[in-house]
Amino acid sequence: MLINRALCHSWLTQVTFRYHANIASRLQACRHNQPPQRFWQPPVRHFHAHRPRSSNIKPNLGEPAADGNTVPTNNVIKAIAFTGAFSVGCFAGATIMEYENTRNRDSWWQLKQDVRRYWDSLSPGDKTFAPILVCNLLAFALWRVPAMRTTMLTYFTSNPAARIVCWPMFLSTFSHYSVMHIFANMYVLHSFSNAAVLSMGKEQFMAVYLSAGVFSSLMSVLYKAGTRNPGMSLGASGAIMTVLAYVCAQYPETQLSILFLPTVTFSAGAAIKVIMGIDFAGCVMGWKFFDHAAHLGGAMFGIFWAHYGAQLWAKRISLLNYYHELRRTKQK
């Protein structure tokens, strides 16, 4: 089934993009996303339950399910604790980064003139998107190294029944196995990142994006544990769903159109509700090709942050003051 949408205006001029969504059925063990700007494919995260002979990616023998389809309770507890600790660390790091960037802005730009000139020409969204793209490309390249296959399966796929649970929840959000998977996800992220960065600022955006990736992995872990259906998941679409949902919630009246039917338009607010409805149905019906729990968790995180993020981000001031005093004390 194909769902195509396109934004009718420009985000930079009227905070709108053109985009379309296309749910592809050819990817295995991956997450996809909704490419905006011109056209996008809705974020999807795939996972495979344990099946006798179906997957073309052989599971890591060192990462078996504990007891058939049972997810160890200890792994669920670890996943919850890791999500909380990682998110706090992300926002604490973003606060310190904000302070350092403000304090050392002049010295930070003392780079070679050609690099400085090119970097300054980029939009805020492109500057934030670039390091995320590099990390995803590095992980994608590592999948092509045969000697790294076991490591990638262990640390760059999230599986609640595996021996190692926590760090894969984070690293899997940079992991893509197929060319179409990484292209679709990065296209979507690039299309929406500028609007989100202009709204939040680059430090807050990075904290939200990284935390959302782990939170969407946690939702996948909890769903798989609750349904006793563990399996591997990978892809950035959970975090990208947060960016999409945030932008749609911030600018719900942005007009969207269906690809090949440009005269049929509807609001971004309605579009995100439909997408979340599909993912909710996928969770209820037990659809297994996409990781609907991760998508739904990412969208919920984005909508939550659109409504309450400003108040929560303002609470970083105490940490900012503490870090300022710490830096001033060390300089004396």
Side-chain angles (χ1 to χ4, degrees):
M1 178 181 66
L2 299 180
I3 299 178
N4 300 305
R5 306 176 183 85
L7 284 171
C8 301
H9 303 292
S10 167
W11 282 114
L12 295 178
T13 57
Q14 301 183 28
V15 203
T16 58
F17 282 117
R18 300 186 65 191
Y19 70 100
H20 89 284
N22 181 2
I23 298 182
S25 60
R26 299 166 45 188
L27 303 178
Q28 188 171 359
C30 59
R31 304 178 197 139
H32 278 310
N33 317 315
Q34 312 153 328
Q37 200 172 5
R38 300 212 175 107
F39 299 113
W40 53 267
Q41 302 176 343
V44 283
R45 174 182 180 179
H46 299 199
F47 76 90
H48 293 277
H50 291 288
R51 285 178 260 178
R53 304 178 51 185
S54 58
S55 179
N56 61 0
I57 300 179
K58 296 181 180 179
N60 183 5
L61 296 179
E63 302 293 324
D67 179 19
N69 290 332
T70 301
V71 175
T73 303
N74 191 40
N75 282 5
V76 175
I77 296 174
K78 286 181 181 179
I80 295 174
F82 178 77
T83 300
F86 185 87
S87 298
V88 171
C90 283
F91 285 96
T95 299
I96 294 173
M97 183 187 303
E98 181 184 37
Y99 176 86
E100 291 293 344
N101 286 342
T102 302
R103 187 173 181 274
N104 300 321
R105 183 172 295 274
D106 293 335
S107 61
W108 175 254
W109 283 349
Q110 299 306 310
L111 303 173
K112 294 180 180 180
Q113 289 300 314
D114 53 344
V115 176
R116 174 185 177 183
R117 193 177 302 112
Y118 173 76
W119 185 256
D120 289 346
S121 68
L122 298 177
S123 67
D126 288 337
K127 291 178 180 178
T128 307
F129 168 76
I132 298 176
L133 174 63
V134 170
C135 291
N136 280 271
L137 289 175
L138 287 175
F140 178 76
L142 289 176
W143 275 109
R144 267 62 202 162
V145 180
M148 293 294 297
R149 185 61 56 85
T150 299
T151 300
M152 298 303 290
L153 286 170
T154 302
Y155 293 100
F156 285 79
T157 62
S158 179
N159 185 351
R163 178 174 53 86
I164 300 175
V165 176
C166 295
W167 281 110
M169 293 172 60
F170 168 62
L171 296 176
S172 65
T173 63
F174 295 93
S175 181
H176 301 83
Y177 189 76
S178 71
V179 175
M180 275 300 297
H181 189 202
I182 189 172
F183 173 78
N185 277 3
M186 293 302 100
Y187 180 74
V188 176
L189 179 60
H190 179 264
S191 298
F192 277 101
S193 60
N194 200 51
V197 171
L198 288 175
S199 179
M200 290 188 277
K202 62 182 180 181
E203 297 88 1
Q204 184 183 169
F205 174 87
M206 288 302 298
V208 169
Y209 181 85
L210 296 177
S211 298
V214 174
F215 181 79
S216 64
S217 293
L218 174 63
M219 293 298 100
S220 176
V221 167
L222 295 177
Y223 176 78
K224 293 173 185 177
T227 58
R228 294 178 174 269
N229 190 23
M232 296 183 297
S233 298
L234 73 166
S237 57
I240 296 174
M241 270 296 293
T242 294
V243 178
L244 295 177
Y246 175 85
V247 173
C248 288
Q250 286 285 81
Y251 314 107
E253 298 306 318
T254 298
Q255 290 300 299
L256 315 180
S257 66
I258 301 175
L259 184 63
F260 304 128
L261 293 175
T263 58
V264 179
T265 61
F266 47 89
S267 68
I272 192 62
K273 292 175 183 177
V274 171
I275 295 169
M276 292 181 67
I278 293 173
D279 285 322
F280 179 77
C283 292
V284 174
M285 302 296 292
W287 299 340
K288 294 181 174 60
F289 190 73
F290 300 142
D291 196 341
H292 295 283
H295 296 170
L296 192 60
M300 291 169 60
F301 193 99
I303 292 175
F304 170 82
W305 200 259
H307 289 90
Y308 304 105
Q311 300 93 303
L312 294 176
W313 183 244
K315 296 182 182 298
R316 78 194 189 285
I317 299 301
S318 58
L319 175 59
L320 200 64
N321 291 334
Y322 171 79
Y323 184 75
H324 173 70
E325 292 298 327
L326 185 64
R327 285 293 305 272
R328 189 169 62 176
T329 300
K330 287 185 176 181
Q331 289 179 348
K332 290 182 180 179

